[in-house]
Amino acid sequence: MPDQRGTTRRPEPDCPVEVALAAVSGRWATLVLRELMHGPRSFGRLQAALPDLSAKVLSERLAALTRQGLVERERSRTFPPSTCYRLTRAGTELRPLLVELYRTGDALLRERA
């Protein structure tokens, strides 16, 4: 491990691995993040991209990702008002992690076959 935080004997809240895993945990979180990796999206556009995701759960995921500092919400002053979601700098830092998780999962699936 790069530093002492990676040598703990149990999960710690300041362990970088635990922080990264918590950032992408939760049902639908990785898919919402994936959609936002393509650029800012309105709530409606996110719903259209993920049609099996209910509006309630999408709202919950966006709120959680916003609380984590990974997504920011911008409300327009137009009428009717619209809301746009975009990744923060911390959110964009997750791209390599998501790509590696995909590659690792793909390799594991191929091994099982």
Side-chain angles (χ1 to χ4, degrees), residues 19-83:
V19 170
L21 289 175
V24 298
S25 69
R27 195 164 173 89
W28 295 98
T30 56
L31 298 181
V32 172
L33 289 166
R34 179 197 67 198
E35 291 305 315
L36 292 173
M37 293 283 172
H38 299 293
R41 298 285 187 262
S42 67
F43 188 89
R45 195 163 171 195
L46 287 168
Q47 265 192 311
L50 302 166
D52 292 334
L53 175 58
S54 72
K56 178 182 184 263
V57 174
L58 177 57
S59 293
E60 290 169 356
R61 291 304 162 261
L62 288 167
L65 292 167
T66 300
R67 282 191 305 275
Q68 289 177 293
L70 303 172
V71 170
E72 59 187 9
R73 177 180 183 249
E74 184 179 312
R75 190 152 174 94
S76 74
R77 294 183 179 186
T78 61
F79 185 82
S82 63
T83 304

Side-chain angles (χ1 to χ4, degrees), residues 84-105:
C84 184
Y85 296 88
R86 68 175 37 94
L87 293 176
T88 62
R89 182 172 173 198
T92 60
E93 294 289 329
L94 292 172
R95 182 186 301 273
L97 173 63
L98 293 174
V99 169
E100 276 309 308
L101 285 171
Y102 182 92
R103 287 182 184 149
T104 302

